[in-house]
Short mmCIF file of all heavy atoms in Angstrom, two decimals:
data_model
loop_
_atom_site.label_atom_id
_atom_site.label_comp_id
_atom_site.label_asym_id
_atom_site.label_seq_id
_atom_site.Cartn_x
_atom_site.Cartn_y
_atom_site.Cartn_z
N GLU A 129 10.50 30.35 -2.59
CA GLU A 129 11.63 29.44 -2.66
C GLU A 129 11.87 29.09 -4.12
O GLU A 129 10.95 28.88 -4.92
CB GLU A 129 11.38 28.15 -1.89
CG GLU A 129 11.22 28.39 -0.38
CD GLU A 129 9.78 28.64 0.03
OE1 GLU A 129 8.97 28.93 -0.85
OE2 GLU A 129 9.51 28.67 1.22
N SER A 130 13.09 28.99 -4.53
CA SER A 130 13.49 28.55 -5.91
C SER A 130 14.29 27.27 -5.87
O SER A 130 14.64 26.76 -6.91
CB SER A 130 14.26 29.66 -6.58
OG SER A 130 15.46 29.96 -5.89
N ALA A 131 14.55 26.70 -4.69
CA ALA A 131 15.20 25.41 -4.55
C ALA A 131 14.60 24.76 -3.32
O ALA A 131 14.26 25.45 -2.34
CB ALA A 131 16.69 25.53 -4.44
N VAL A 132 14.54 23.41 -3.30
CA VAL A 132 13.86 22.68 -2.21
C VAL A 132 14.49 21.31 -2.08
O VAL A 132 14.85 20.70 -3.06
CB VAL A 132 12.35 22.63 -2.46
CG1 VAL A 132 12.03 21.89 -3.73
CG2 VAL A 132 11.66 22.02 -1.24
N VAL A 133 14.69 20.87 -0.82
CA VAL A 133 14.97 19.50 -0.53
C VAL A 133 13.64 18.77 -0.39
O VAL A 133 12.93 18.94 0.55
CB VAL A 133 15.79 19.36 0.77
CG1 VAL A 133 16.10 17.89 1.06
CG2 VAL A 133 17.13 20.12 0.70
N ALA A 134 13.40 17.93 -1.38
CA ALA A 134 12.08 17.25 -1.46
C ALA A 134 12.03 16.04 -0.47
O ALA A 134 11.09 15.92 0.35
CB ALA A 134 11.77 16.81 -2.84
N LEU A 135 13.03 15.13 -0.63
CA LEU A 135 12.99 13.89 0.13
C LEU A 135 14.40 13.68 0.73
O LEU A 135 15.38 14.22 0.27
CB LEU A 135 12.64 12.70 -0.75
CG LEU A 135 11.23 12.59 -1.32
CD1 LEU A 135 11.17 11.39 -2.23
CD2 LEU A 135 10.14 12.55 -0.30
N GLU A 136 14.38 12.85 1.80
CA GLU A 136 15.63 12.38 2.37
C GLU A 136 15.53 10.83 2.51
O GLU A 136 14.61 10.35 3.16
CB GLU A 136 15.86 12.98 3.75
CG GLU A 136 17.11 12.55 4.40
CD GLU A 136 17.29 13.14 5.84
OE1 GLU A 136 16.36 12.88 6.66
OE2 GLU A 136 18.25 13.77 6.11
N LEU A 137 16.51 10.16 1.93
CA LEU A 137 16.62 8.70 2.15
C LEU A 137 17.76 8.57 3.17
O LEU A 137 18.89 9.04 2.96
CB LEU A 137 17.00 7.97 0.89
CG LEU A 137 16.13 8.28 -0.38
CD1 LEU A 137 16.60 7.45 -1.54
CD2 LEU A 137 14.69 8.07 -0.11
N TYR A 138 17.49 7.90 4.29
CA TYR A 138 18.48 7.85 5.37
C TYR A 138 18.55 6.41 5.90
O TYR A 138 17.62 5.63 5.86
CB TYR A 138 18.17 8.85 6.45
CG TYR A 138 16.90 8.59 7.23
CD1 TYR A 138 16.88 7.94 8.46
CD2 TYR A 138 15.68 9.07 6.77
CE1 TYR A 138 15.69 7.69 9.12
CE2 TYR A 138 14.46 8.89 7.40
CZ TYR A 138 14.52 8.17 8.61
OH TYR A 138 13.36 7.95 9.32
N ARG A 139 19.80 6.13 6.43
CA ARG A 139 20.09 4.79 6.93
C ARG A 139 19.99 4.87 8.43
O ARG A 139 20.63 5.70 9.10
CB ARG A 139 21.46 4.36 6.52
CG ARG A 139 21.84 2.98 6.95
CD ARG A 139 23.00 2.42 6.14
NE ARG A 139 24.18 3.36 6.15
CZ ARG A 139 25.23 3.26 5.33
NH1 ARG A 139 25.27 2.30 4.44
NH2 ARG A 139 26.18 4.12 5.42
N ARG A 140 19.26 3.91 9.00
CA ARG A 140 19.07 3.85 10.45
C ARG A 140 19.22 2.34 10.87
O ARG A 140 18.33 1.53 10.48
CB ARG A 140 17.74 4.40 10.88
CG ARG A 140 17.47 4.37 12.37
CD ARG A 140 18.41 5.34 13.17
NE ARG A 140 18.26 6.70 12.63
CZ ARG A 140 17.31 7.59 12.99
NH1 ARG A 140 16.43 7.21 13.87
NH2 ARG A 140 17.28 8.80 12.50
N GLN A 141 20.29 2.04 11.48
CA GLN A 141 20.56 0.65 12.00
C GLN A 141 20.47 -0.37 10.82
O GLN A 141 19.71 -1.32 10.81
CB GLN A 141 19.57 0.25 13.10
CG GLN A 141 19.73 1.09 14.37
CD GLN A 141 18.68 0.71 15.40
OE1 GLN A 141 17.78 -0.02 15.16
NE2 GLN A 141 18.89 1.30 16.65
N ASP A 142 21.22 -0.06 9.76
CA ASP A 142 21.35 -0.92 8.61
C ASP A 142 20.07 -1.02 7.80
O ASP A 142 19.93 -1.93 6.97
CB ASP A 142 21.90 -2.34 8.96
CG ASP A 142 23.29 -2.25 9.48
OD1 ASP A 142 24.02 -1.31 9.05
OD2 ASP A 142 23.66 -3.17 10.31
N ALA A 143 19.05 -0.24 8.10
CA ALA A 143 17.83 -0.20 7.32
C ALA A 143 17.64 1.24 6.81
O ALA A 143 18.00 2.22 7.45
CB ALA A 143 16.63 -0.61 8.23
N TRP A 144 17.09 1.28 5.59
CA TRP A 144 16.87 2.61 4.92
C TRP A 144 15.41 2.99 5.04
O TRP A 144 14.47 2.20 4.92
CB TRP A 144 17.28 2.49 3.47
CG TRP A 144 18.78 2.48 3.23
CD1 TRP A 144 19.56 1.43 3.22
CD2 TRP A 144 19.58 3.65 3.07
NE1 TRP A 144 20.88 1.73 3.06
CE2 TRP A 144 20.92 3.16 2.89
CE3 TRP A 144 19.35 4.98 3.00
CZ2 TRP A 144 21.97 4.04 2.73
CZ3 TRP A 144 20.40 5.84 2.79
CH2 TRP A 144 21.73 5.34 2.63
#
Side-chain angles (χ1 to χ4, degrees):
E129 298 88 348
S130 58
V132 61
V133 178
L135 295 177
E136 178 186 60
L137 312 181
Y138 64 97
R139 183 164 51 193
R140 182 68 56 84
Q141 297 178 350
D142 295 332
W144 285 88

